[in-house]
Amino acid sequence: MGVVVEMTREEFEDAVRDALDEVPEELAAMMDNVVVLVEDEPPPDEPDLLGLYEGTPLTERGESWAAGSLPDRIFVFRNPTLALCEDRDEVVEEVTITVVHEIAHHFGIDDDRLHDLGWS
């Protein structure tokens, strides 16, 4: 493994915010009850994970879903992203890919389809 890219948490959060700003307005307006969070580390059983969607995709929500439901959560993991990338530009690109990938899960798009579309 090479050198880890140096980027403060604030700079990384800015990259995530910039990626979210790239989501087309029409899609952003359709996102429902979801929050995007930055965490330094992924779950211990998946140390190389860059992002994670936890929740019920829009395509699987029924009429009774909203009753007491917590927001869906999209996590972007800072340390594995910094370790994977070679420079800041690559971090920004990888963060954008990760954010799009996890938002796609919110819309019910699975990993196979994301791979076909080039977002995995």
Side-chain angles (χ1 to χ4, degrees):
M1 184 180 294
V3 176
V4 174
V5 175
E6 299 263 342
M7 186 178 250
T8 67
R9 183 170 177 105
E10 183 178 342
E11 291 169 328
F12 191 85
E13 288 173 350
D14 286 345
V16 171
R17 216 174 346 268
D18 291 345
L20 288 167
D21 287 345
E22 294 298 316
V23 174
E25 220 174 285
E26 311 81 54
L27 286 180
M30 292 170 39
M31 291 176 65
D32 183 38
N33 202 31
V34 63
V35 62
V36 178
L37 305 164
V38 172
E39 294 288 338
D40 286 334
E41 298 296 340
D45 59 330
E46 298 188 73
D48 298 325
L49 198 63
L50 304 183
L52 178 66
Y53 170 74
E54 289 184 345
T56 303
L58 295 177
T59 54
E60 296 176 18
R61 294 182 184 181
E63 289 181 24
S64 64
W65 171 85
S69 295
L70 295 174
D72 290 5
R73 299 182 302 174
I74 291 174
F75 295 96
V76 181
F77 301 113
R78 181 174 164 261
N79 289 337
T81 304
L82 296 179
L84 174 73
C85 298
E86 295 185 15
D87 58 36
R88 286 173 173 268
D89 289 342
E90 191 175 346
V91 169
V92 169
E93 181 179 334
E94 193 59 54
V95 164
T96 300
I97 291 168
T98 301
V99 167
V100 168
H101 183 103
E102 302 310 330
I103 287 173
H105 288 318
H106 177 67
F107 284 101
I109 301 171
D110 66 16
D111 283 329
D112 289 339
R113 182 66 179 136
L114 283 167
H115 179 75
D116 291 345
L117 295 170
W119 288 102
S120 62

